[in-house]
């Protein structure tokens, strides 16, 4: 749900309005964020360090790569695009950007520090 809230805030800050961000699931849920979190937990389970910076970078990269993969997969398999961030800072083909990379990293640190223990 926090990922969904972050998307709403991104849209509001960028365009001054809220947008419907409904995905395949009903309600304020998004399968990309849920599966991304599962990947982070699987990767971080038994991670050899508790250094917050290392965890942040690892989670930011995992989340960024997963979001990019999901966007590419959807476009190739279904011929549709659910999100597009052209022209935003560090946009990777419009599939993801620096803002969401930072949010993936922050979310991972919160999960690792406060939920996983």
């Amino acid at each position: 749900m926090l990922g969904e809230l972050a998307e709403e805030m991104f849209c509001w800050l960028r365009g001054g309005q809220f947008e419907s961000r409904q995905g395949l699931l009903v309600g304020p849920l998004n399968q990309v964020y849920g599966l991304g979190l599962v990947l982070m937990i699987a990767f971080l389970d038994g991670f050899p360090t508790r250094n917050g910076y290392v965890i942040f970078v690892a989670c930011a990269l995992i989340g960024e790569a997963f979001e990019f993969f999901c966007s590419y997969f959807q476009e190739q398999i279904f011929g549709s695009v659910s999100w597009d961030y052209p022209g935003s800072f560090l946009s990777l083909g419009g599939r993801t950007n620096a803002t969401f990379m930072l949010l993936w990293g922050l979310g991972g640190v919160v999960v690792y520090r406060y939920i996983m223990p």
Side-chain angles (χ1 to χ4, degrees):
M1 287 177 25
L2 292 176
E4 193 71 22
L5 179 62
E7 274 195 62
E8 288 292 340
M9 295 309 299
F10 179 80
C11 290
W12 184 73
L13 290 171
R14 188 178 69 176
Q17 63 186 16
F18 291 108
E19 296 178 14
S20 172
R21 308 303 278 179
Q22 186 68 43
L24 294 174
L25 304 175
V26 177
L29 304 171
N30 185 303
Q31 67 279 1
V32 173
Y33 298 124
L35 292 172
L37 181 61
V38 168
L39 280 177
M40 286 181 198
I41 290 171
F43 179 76
L44 294 175
D45 188 34
F47 203 64
T49 183
R50 296 203 52 86
N51 183 314
Y53 296 113
V54 174
I55 300 299
F56 174 83
V57 170
C59 290
L61 292 175
I62 291 168
E64 185 89 347
F66 183 67
E67 187 173 11
F68 185 92
F69 169 77
C70 288
S71 174
Y72 181 80
F73 178 80
Q74 178 183 346
E75 187 175 340
Q76 296 302 308
I77 300 301
F78 300 108
S80 64
V81 176
S82 289
W83 62 89
D84 193 15
Y85 307 117
S88 58
F89 183 63
L90 293 180
S91 174
L92 296 176
R95 299 183 189 284
T96 188
N97 63 22
T99 301
F100 286 100
M101 185 169 111
L102 292 173
L103 291 172
W104 280 110
L106 288 172
V109 169
V110 168
V111 166
Y112 188 73
R113 289 280 172 97
Y114 302 106
I115 295 173
M116 280 185 57

